[in-house]
Amino acid sequence: MTAEPDDHFFVVDGRRWRRTDPALPEDVAAALRSHLGRGRNAVKRAKQAGGEGALAAARHRNGLAKHGLGERGPEWWSRPEADRIADARRALADLDALDALDALDADAP
């Protein structure tokens, strides 16, 4: 493992976490963080309810958001900025599409 600069990670309670890609446009990063927060709440609710399908769906959404933010997947600092931003926009579009599907399901009789 190579040494990473401190600006790529932060530490909480001794655990190292990857930082969000600083090159992301703020509106995209904010929307992805919103999806991530809602996804975390959905994970908590699914665990309490014991719904395996809902838990898997919520974790999938969290993964999409974290990949979009650059917190998972390929190291953002080793990739071209344009590719990273395109990936973030694609993740956001995928999450927005999932929200749209959920809204349709909620409206269905």
Side-chain angles (χ1 to χ4, degrees):
M1 180 173 170
T2 61
E4 294 85 9
D6 291 341
D7 62 339
H8 296 169
F9 298 93
F10 64 98
V11 177
V12 175
D13 295 330
R15 185 167 178 187
R16 188 175 76 155
W17 299 90
R18 192 185 307 176
R19 291 189 185 276
T20 296
D21 184 346
L24 299 181
E26 183 51 35
D27 63 323
V28 173
L32 287 167
R33 284 190 300 269
S34 176
H35 277 287
L36 182 59
R38 287 182 282 141
R40 287 177 172 158
N41 287 334
V43 166
K44 182 179 178 180
R45 286 191 311 274
K47 283 182 174 181
Q48 291 170 342
E52 289 301 314
L55 182 58
R59 286 183 171 159
H60 173 69
R61 287 174 183 246
N62 286 350
L64 283 172
K66 290 186 86 50
H67 274 87
L69 289 164
E71 296 174 10
R72 286 194 186 147
E75 297 171 337
W76 52 259
W77 55 88
S78 65
R79 299 181 60 227
E81 185 174 312
D83 292 349
R84 299 175 352 227
I85 292 171
D87 286 348
R89 290 187 189 281
R90 195 168 20 262
L92 181 55
D94 290 347
L95 288 161
D96 288 342
L98 289 172
D99 278 355
L101 287 174
D102 285 348
L104 287 174
D105 287 344
D107 291 340

